[in-house]
Amino acid sequence: MELHLATTSKEGTALGGGWCNNRRSCLFRSTTALGSSNYMDKIYFSAILSNKSEENPDFYNWNKVRVRYCDGASFTGEGYDNESGLYFRGRRIWSAIMEELMGIGMSSAQQALLSGCSAGGLASVLHCDNFRALFPSQTTVKCLADAGLFLDYVDVSGLHGLRSFYDGVLTLQGVAQNLPERCTSRMNATLCFFPENIVNGIETPMFLLNAAYDTWQIQYSLAPSSAIQDGPWKFCRLNYSKCDSSQIEFLQGFRKNMTTVAESFYQSKATNGLFINSCFTHGQSVLPDTWYGNNSPSISNKGIAQSVGDWYFNRSEVKLIDCPYPCDTTCHNLVT
């Protein structure tokens, strides 16, 4: 049984679902596919969700469910805003979907994998142990977070921009009450929305798949348009080939921080898995070319699908961290 927490995507394209952090952005979101089923298009099952053995050798014959992302807080919101008239029901949506799926057969699964990409990857982190608790102890349950390792890193203007953004998400949507108490009891709740502060405490086996130079984080967290205006990061943030040596050095610092977090996560539990490649992209389990293509990204000659399969089925330990840019020639880099 494979359950995938999906951000908005179209066939051949991975698009981040993100979050909304104020009334204006949440009101707008409610008029789109990210906030209402009235606007949702057809969904596609490909890559990790493919039913073709040549595209998805380890999971092609599994039962699969793709969960639409529609709440703007990685399925953790709980509240009502009087001024906007918006209900934030992410946690209730999650619970209702799980109840429905368990009632129609998921409860009898012998193996289960909760996966997610981008904001869905964060949701996979936040709900992993809760997902595990749904099943009997004899069921093999694991979680995969793709492009969900969002870091609390200082941006190019010297500020913690993503932390401020997340603070708005938590405040407006009442998220704090649904975050792990083991984290909120020792630090500010906003920090507990960052995977780096919670992954080491997750009891369920988890696999982190992430690009070390995550393009979403570069464009919206490290060098957001609000921080750069017409400055030197205007072109670098969209195309790594336009970066000068000092900008590359900054990005190498970001990579170093990510690999440090990843190393600590891997060491926290022997059943965890890791694939951190030095690519400029965002989301690699949801696209056929990066998941299991003839020239898909690899580290030490091992691709992403094989790595996840080896980890899930205990064929081998998987701890793969790439060398720094520009050493990897297998990347499918994104540029604008």
Side-chain angles (χ1 to χ4, degrees):
M1 178 73 206
E2 185 178 346
L3 183 68
H4 183 78
L5 305 177
T7 53
T8 299
S9 65
K10 296 182 180 180
E11 190 173 23
T13 307
L15 303 173
W19 313 269
C20 60
N21 68 325
N22 54 44
R23 293 185 181 95
R24 181 181 177 182
S25 62
C26 289
L27 277 169
F28 174 76
R29 191 182 187 95
S30 70
T31 65
T32 73
L34 289 170
S36 172
S37 58
N38 291 332
Y39 308 100
M40 292 178 178
D41 295 325
K42 180 180 179 180
I43 61 173
Y44 296 90
F45 285 69
S46 61
I48 193 173
L49 295 176
S50 173
N51 62 358
K52 300 177 181 178
S53 59
E54 64 271 23
E55 297 177 357
N56 189 25
D58 280 314
F59 304 105
Y60 75 94
N61 59 352
W62 283 35
N63 293 314
K64 305 175 185 71
V65 176
R66 188 168 186 177
V67 179
R68 305 261 198 177
Y69 179 43
C70 59
D71 76 302
S74 293
F75 298 104
T76 59
E78 179 59 55
Y80 173 73
D81 181 62
N82 287 312
E83 184 171 329
S84 64
L86 289 174
Y87 289 88
F88 300 105
R89 295 291 187 257
R91 181 60 187 228
R92 297 192 195 189
I93 293 170
W94 164 265
S95 298
I97 291 171
M98 294 304 106
E99 181 178 353
E100 169 73 8
L101 292 175
M102 294 299 283
I104 61 175
M106 191 170 75
S107 59
S108 61
Q110 296 179 334
Q111 298 171 313
L113 173 64
L114 175 67
S115 67
C117 177
S118 192
L122 174 58
S124 184
V125 170
L126 293 169
H127 292 286
C128 185
D129 281 340
N130 174 269
F131 185 67
R132 160 71 268 186
L134 296 172
F135 296 91
S137 58
Q138 65 267 25
T139 305
T140 299
V141 181
K142 299 186 179 184
C143 306
L144 163 66
D146 176 16
L149 189 53
F150 298 96
L151 299 179
D152 182 25
Y153 199 76
V154 177
D155 65 27
V156 297
S157 62
L159 301 175
H160 285 270
L162 190 56
R163 185 191 299 180
S164 297
F165 182 91
Y166 277 173
D167 188 58
V169 175
L170 266 69
T171 301
L172 181 63
Q173 299 200 43
V175 169
Q177 61 191 299
N178 291 322
L179 297 178
E181 186 178 355
R182 63 178 181 275
C183 181
T184 57
S185 63
R186 59 187 177 86
M187 64 178 66
N188 181 280
T190 297
L191 298 179
C192 299
F193 209 59
F194 286 97
E196 64 196 87
N197 295 319
I198 56 178
V199 288
N200 288 11
I202 294 174
E203 296 295 327
T204 308
M206 170 159 279
F207 192 101
L208 294 183
L209 165 62
N210 227 97
Y213 309 99
D214 187 304
T215 50
W216 188 95
Q217 295 191 65
I218 292 173
Q219 294 175 25
Y220 297 101
S221 175
L222 302 184
S225 56
S226 59
I228 63 163
Q229 298 180 357
D230 290 323
W233 282 88
K234 181 177 180 180
F235 300 106
C236 170
R237 65 187 289 269
L238 301 176
N239 187 338
Y240 63 94
S241 68
K242 305 293 185 181
C243 299
D244 61 29
S245 59
S246 64
Q247 291 166 328
I248 291 296
E249 183 178 359
F250 179 85
L251 296 177
Q252 298 292 27
F254 176 76
R255 172 196 171 274
K256 178 62 177 176
N257 185 261
M258 180 176 290
T259 58
T260 298
V261 171
E263 285 271 9
S264 176
F265 158 78
Y266 182 82
Q267 296 298 332
S268 68
K269 187 174 278 73
T271 53
N272 288 339
L274 200 59
F275 190 104
I276 308 293
N277 56 349
S278 292
C279 302
F280 288 81
T281 190
H282 182 73
Q284 300 178 91
S285 69
V286 292
L287 300 178
D289 287 348
T290 51
W291 174 246
Y292 192 71
N294 292 330
N295 62 341
S296 62
S298 63
I299 303 175
S300 300
N301 296 315
K302 180 178 284 192
I304 294 170
Q306 181 186 348
S307 298
V308 173
D310 285 351
W311 161 77
Y312 187 90
F313 296 104
N314 299 319
R315 295 191 294 247
S316 67
E317 293 185 1
V318 180
K319 177 194 174 185
L320 295 171
I321 297 179
D322 215 349
C323 48
Y325 169 81
C327 72
D328 193 333
T329 60
T330 70
C331 291
H332 292 211
N333 291 323
L334 298 178
V335 295
T336 302

